[in-house]
């Protein structure tokens, strides 16, 4: 107890000292309370760090561009140094083919003697980083530009500067929060739950046992019934958590039910892992799919069955649905358009500190580390939007500048369902289902005016397609739960939430211009 009181008194002293120092004009503290937290006992420091920082602090924020045009200098306020300026100088000190340059950064007015600022610097062709602890002019030397194209780019557009707002300590703390999201452990599961509670307001209320519905009789499951899936641990759990955060969806994966001419129940799924470890579109017997989810899926999936409304079930053309599903079986998962269903606007889909500048820099990093993966994820899709072919990511960014519009505007151009990529049509898990719905006649006359590749999972389960009369739900639907959901949760320890479920009518060009900002994810009508 004495040790706790001693630590408490020390923390109180730090904050009191900081408060008093703020009252004295021009007085700089020798340290900041956050700077000395690592010196405190772990049981004291980590709870404070966790309250100050979170996983999103691992992302840098865009502060501006250091340019040579007009001898303009960039000015901003950092996390440590409150007064900063930067400018770019071109030269050829290395006598290289394209010359080089020096990025000058002058930092001053630090809020303490022990803080530091971390920065990331980027062009379409490179990404690097540096940190500063002293109030003076610092330089970042670039010995040689990669090509004439990079030289021309920095001449006209300069070098983008990103600040790690949380500083060194906060970034390390954020990294400590991010890594567990992908851990296939109880720690990882709790981290994902904590992230979604904090950033989306999810409740994760526990369900009474049993947590798995006894589905020995599947007669009440019909063609077109939607399966919403939420994974909360491991690789896919971490990925889905971030996907949910940026899109506002409370599920991260989806599949669809189909019955064949003999009445056998199947599951169509885009994103099923084949024997080669590839994520492809597959048709699986229900028993095989369900057995995998019960015994082999280590992501602790929570699964809900969303039965189609009887009126739509009557319209569902099983023959057309099967023809479409078979034509897509074995095709790769829709990586090409995965991020574009989320990004609909120039600035209304990016939770802080995300923005289009940061997206471009992340793409640049991936382009350097895994060029084939990057090309599959976005290069072809960006070329589609430009009407070009085979441009690399740097060339795409340069072309955007030549045409006089922003990369943010390029990202917001709607995906088109009829675009064919080098490996065929590209459909994510939800786009595969909605394209099947189109083929089966559920979109009616609006089919040609709606691009389902622009839909997120939230957009799909918000469609007014599903059963709205609880008395018509199967008898086994939530039978062991005292809370009656409007859909049937068939697996999971926690109750699944689907805000906006079954509430939205179809309209032309829907979901092509919708913002999605947490935590409310407000969307205007007819976006």
């Amino acid at each position: 107890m004495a040790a706790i009181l001693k630590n408490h008194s020390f923390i109180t002293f730090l904050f009191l000292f900081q408060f008093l120092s703020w009252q004295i004009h021009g007085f700089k503290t020798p340290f900041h309370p956050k700077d000395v937290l690592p010196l405190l006992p772990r049981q004291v420091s980590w709870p404070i760090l966790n309250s100050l920082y979170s996983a999103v602090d691992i992302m840098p924020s865009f502060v501006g561009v250091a340019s040579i045009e007009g001898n303009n200098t960039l000015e901003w306020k950092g996390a440590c140094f409150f007064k900063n300026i930067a400018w770019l100088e071109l030269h050829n000190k290395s006598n290289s083919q394209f010359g080089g340059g020096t990025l000058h950064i002058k930092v001053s007015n630090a809020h303490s003697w022990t803080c530091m600022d971390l920065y990331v610097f980027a062009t379409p062709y490179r990404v690097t980083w540096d940190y500063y602890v002293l109030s003076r002019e610092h330089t970042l030397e670039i010995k040689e530009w990669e090509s004439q194209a990079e030289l021309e780019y920095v001449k006209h557009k300069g070098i983008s500067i990103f600040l790690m707002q949380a500083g060194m300590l906060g970034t390390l703390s954020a990294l400590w929060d991010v890594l567990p999201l992908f851990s296939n452990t109880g720690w990882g599961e709790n981290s994902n739950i904590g992230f979604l509670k904090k950033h989306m307001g999810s409740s994760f209320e526990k369900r009474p046992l049993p947590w798995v519905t006894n589905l020995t009789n599947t007669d009440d499951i019909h063609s077109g019934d939607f399966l919403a899936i939420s994974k909360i641990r491991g690789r896919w759990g971490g990925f889905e958590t971030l996907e949910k955060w940026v899109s506002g969806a409370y599920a991260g994966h989806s599949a669809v039910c189909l019955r064949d001419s003999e009445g056998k129940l199947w599951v169509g799924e885009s994103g099923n892992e084949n024997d080669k470890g590839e994520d492809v579109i597959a048709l699986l017997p229900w028993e095989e799919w369900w057995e995998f989810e019960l015994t082999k899926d280590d992501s602790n999936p929570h699964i809900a069955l969303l039965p189609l409304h009887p009126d739509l079930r009557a319209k569902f053309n099983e023959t057309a649905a099967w023809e479409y599903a078979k034509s897509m079986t074995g095709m790769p998962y829709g990586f090409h358009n995965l991020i574009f269903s989320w990004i609909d606007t120039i600035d209304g889909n990016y939770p802080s500190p995300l923005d289009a500048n940061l997206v471009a820099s992340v793409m640049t990093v991936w382009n350097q580390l895994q060029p084939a993966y990057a090309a599959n994820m976005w290069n072809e899709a960006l070329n589609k939007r430009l009407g070009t072919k085979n441009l690399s990511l740097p060339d795409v960014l340069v072309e955007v500048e030549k045409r006089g519009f922003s990369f943010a505007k390029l990202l917001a151009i709607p995906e088109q369902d009829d675009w064919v990529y080098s490996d065929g049509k590209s459909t994510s898990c939800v786009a595969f289902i909605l394209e099947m719905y189109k083929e089966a006649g559920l979109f009616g006359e609006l089919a040609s005016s709606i691009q389902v590749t622009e839909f997120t999972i939230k957009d799909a389960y918000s469609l007014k397609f599903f059963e709205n009369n609880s008395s018509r739900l199967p008898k086994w639907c939530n039978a062991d739960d005292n809370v009656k959901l409007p859909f049937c949760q068939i697996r999971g320890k926690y109750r699944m939430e689907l805000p906006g479920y079954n509430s939205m009518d179809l309209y032309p060009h829907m979901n092509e211009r919708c913002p999605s900002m947490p935590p409310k994810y407000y969307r205007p009508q007819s976006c």
Side-chain angles (χ1 to χ4, degrees):
M1 177 64 72
I4 295 175
L5 290 174
K6 183 178 179 181
N7 288 328
H8 177 75
S9 300
F10 182 54
I11 296 169
T12 303
F13 168 75
L14 288 178
F15 282 94
L16 179 61
F17 182 85
Q18 181 69 31
F19 175 77
L20 292 174
S21 70
W22 286 337
Q23 312 309 309
I24 305 174
H25 179 71
F27 183 79
K28 182 194 300 184
T29 62
F31 54 79
H32 189 279
K34 290 188 289 187
D35 301 331
V36 297
L37 281 174
L39 303 178
L40 300 178
R42 189 180 187 279
Q43 64 267 31
V44 175
S45 62
W46 277 103
I48 299 174
L49 284 173
N50 289 334
S51 68
L52 293 173
Y53 304 112
S54 67
V56 299
D57 290 312
I58 199 172
M59 293 181 293
S61 60
F62 178 67
V63 298
V65 174
S67 175
I68 62 170
E69 279 196 347
N71 295 319
N72 291 328
T73 57
L74 173 67
E75 299 183 15
W76 73 95
K77 180 181 178 181
C80 170
F81 297 95
F82 289 172
K83 185 176 181 180
N84 308 278
I85 60 173
W87 66 97
L88 180 62
E89 172 192 2
L90 297 182
H91 55 66
N92 196 0
K93 296 178 182 178
S94 58
N95 296 317
S96 57
Q97 181 179 1
F98 306 113
T102 301
L103 178 62
H104 299 266
I105 298 182
K106 187 175 182 180
V107 301
S108 58
N109 289 19
H111 69 68
S112 79
W113 294 344
T114 55
C115 66
M116 68 170 63
D117 272 340
L118 278 168
Y119 286 98
V120 176
F121 309 102
T123 76
Y125 303 84
R126 72 181 70 224
V127 175
T128 188
W129 68 281
D130 207 348
Y131 64 93
Y132 307 119
V133 295
L134 298 176
S135 294
R136 64 177 178 86
E137 182 181 324
H138 302 265
T139 57
L140 178 70
E141 294 293 340
I142 300 171
K143 294 182 179 180
E144 183 179 5
W145 303 114
E146 181 181 293
S147 61
Q148 183 66 34
E150 184 178 24
L151 173 60
E152 293 301 319
Y153 184 91
V154 297
K155 278 183 179 179
H156 296 98
K157 297 300 296 182
I159 295 178
S160 297
I161 300 177
F162 299 86
L163 170 68
M164 304 301 295
Q165 291 277 18
M168 176 70 80
L169 183 62
T171 302
L172 292 176
S173 175
L175 185 62
W176 183 256
D177 277 348
V178 167
L179 293 179
L181 297 180
F182 298 88
S183 170
N184 194 12
T185 61
W187 178 40
E189 182 171 310
N190 290 333
S191 297
N192 281 287
I193 290 173
F195 184 99
L196 294 171
K197 282 184 175 181
K198 180 174 182 178
H199 296 288
M200 293 184 69
S202 303
S203 61
F204 283 94
E205 296 177 350
K206 287 186 180 179
R207 303 167 68 213
L209 290 168
W211 295 332
V212 177
T213 300
N214 184 4
L215 289 175
T216 55
N217 185 347
T218 59
D219 292 345
D220 291 321
I221 301 177
H222 304 280
S223 287
D225 287 353
F226 190 101
L227 292 160
I229 305 161
S230 177
K231 305 184 179 188
I232 57 175
R233 66 191 297 172
R235 177 184 58 151
W236 285 112
F239 175 80
E240 284 191 14
T241 288
L242 299 178
E243 178 191 7
K244 293 167 188 172
W245 172 54
V246 299
S247 69
Y250 278 60
H253 186 50
S254 56
V256 65
C257 299
L258 273 176
R259 288 196 180 272
D260 62 21
S261 57
E262 298 179 356
K264 182 176 175 62
L265 183 61
W266 296 73
V267 174
E269 182 179 37
S270 178
N272 187 274
E273 189 172 305
N274 64 15
D275 294 337
K276 298 179 181 179
E278 302 166 330
D279 293 311
V280 299
I281 297 172
L283 281 169
L284 304 169
W286 169 269
E287 296 80 7
E288 180 182 334
W289 182 85
W290 184 234
E291 178 68 17
F292 176 86
E293 294 302 332
L294 291 182
T295 62
K296 298 179 182 178
D297 192 339
D298 56 9
S299 65
N300 193 4
H302 285 53
I303 305 174
L305 177 78
L306 319 183
L308 278 183
H309 191 279
D311 292 346
L312 286 176
R313 186 178 302 135
K315 295 179 181 178
F316 192 88
N317 187 328
E318 283 186 339
T319 301
W322 271 103
E323 288 178 359
Y324 170 76
K326 289 178 179 178
S327 73
M328 295 295 289
T329 300
M331 299 289 288
Y333 175 81
F335 288 108
H336 293 295
N337 47 38
L338 180 62
I339 69 170
F340 297 100
S341 63
W342 152 50
I343 302 175
D344 293 341
T345 66
I346 292 176
D347 56 9
N349 299 108
Y350 302 102
S352 178
L354 275 177
D355 63 9
N357 296 289
L358 182 55
V359 170
S361 295
V362 171
M363 287 181 174
T364 300
V365 173
W366 276 109
N367 194 57
Q368 294 174 349
L369 296 178
Q370 293 186 304
Y373 178 83
N376 187 45
M377 280 289 286
W378 45 69
N379 282 13
E380 278 197 72
L382 294 173
N383 274 272
K384 292 282 188 187
R385 284 158 172 76
L386 283 172
T388 55
K389 290 185 178 180
N390 302 322
L391 291 185
S392 65
L393 177 63
D395 291 337
V396 165
L397 295 173
V398 170
E399 182 66 22
V400 168
E401 298 299 334
K402 285 181 180 178
R403 297 191 185 187
F405 65 98
S406 67
F407 188 64
K409 185 176 179 181
L410 181 68
L411 291 175
I413 293 175
E415 182 82 7
Q416 301 297 303
D417 292 351
D418 59 0
W419 281 349
V420 179
Y421 291 87
S422 58
D423 52 6
K425 283 195 172 184
S426 187
T427 56
S428 64
C429 61
V430 69
F432 168 71
I433 297 169
L434 295 181
E435 192 67 50
M436 180 189 294
Y437 282 1
K438 263 191 177 184
E439 296 295 326
L442 300 193
F443 280 65
E445 296 178 352
L446 292 174
S448 62
S449 63
I450 296 176
Q451 308 299 327
V452 298
T453 42
E454 280 290 303
F455 281 54
T456 65
I457 296 176
K458 178 184 179 180
D459 297 329
Y461 66 64
S462 296
L463 287 174
K464 201 179 288 185
F465 275 13
F466 307 106
E467 180 60 80
N468 59 1
N469 185 340
S470 59
S471 67
R472 290 198 295 251
L473 292 172
K475 291 181 179 180
W476 45 259
C477 183
N478 307 314
D480 299 305
D481 197 346
N482 57 345
V483 174
K484 302 304 178 185
L485 300 172
F487 46 82
C488 305
Q489 183 166 346
I490 57 178
R491 191 193 193 285
K493 177 180 179 180
Y494 304 98
R495 287 194 191 95
M496 292 180 67
E497 303 169 79
L498 302 178
Y501 172 67
N502 204 26
S503 63
M504 195 170 300
D505 290 315
L506 293 171
Y507 58 87
H509 304 290
M510 70 184 304
N511 300 317
E512 293 183 7
R513 291 288 183 266
C514 293
S516 58
M517 296 295 282
K520 299 298 184 182
Y521 300 98
Y522 167 77
R523 58 171 283 155
Q525 288 187 345
S526 302
C527 64

